[in-house]
């Protein structure tokens, strides 16, 4: 099994379900900026929001 970072996994799953970042943010109830930061691998993110995604 390939080793993925959380950011790469989220991005891969989003693309697999044919969603753009805006769609994902609306579906899970977080801001677009949060999705972008998550996919870019920002080191300091709120875990409650990460769990929402």
């Amino acid at each position: 099994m390939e080793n993925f970072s959380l950011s790469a996994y989220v991005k891969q799953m989003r693309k697999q379900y044919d969603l753009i970042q805006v769609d994902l943010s609306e579906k899970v109830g977080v801001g677009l900026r949060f999705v972008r930061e998550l996919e870019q691998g920002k080191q300091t993110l709120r875990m409650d929001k990460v769990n929402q995604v």
Side-chain angles (χ1 to χ4, degrees):
M1 181 176 188
E2 219 171 305
N3 236 351
F4 282 113
S5 66
L6 179 60
S7 58
Y9 178 76
V10 169
K11 187 173 186 175
Q12 178 188 352
M13 289 294 104
R14 175 179 61 78
K15 289 183 175 195
Q16 180 177 326
Y17 288 98
D18 200 28
L19 298 171
I20 60 173
Q21 289 178 335
V22 173
D23 295 337
L24 177 61
S25 70
E26 290 173 356
K27 281 189 176 290
V28 299
V30 299
L32 175 59
R33 180 177 177 179
F34 182 83
V35 172
R36 287 182 176 156
E37 289 175 346
L38 175 59
E39 288 189 2
Q40 291 172 355
K42 183 176 179 187
Q43 296 296 312
T44 55
L45 293 171
R46 289 184 44 187
M47 284 307 294
D48 60 327
K49 288 188 176 188
V50 170
N51 288 332
Q52 273 183 263
V53 176

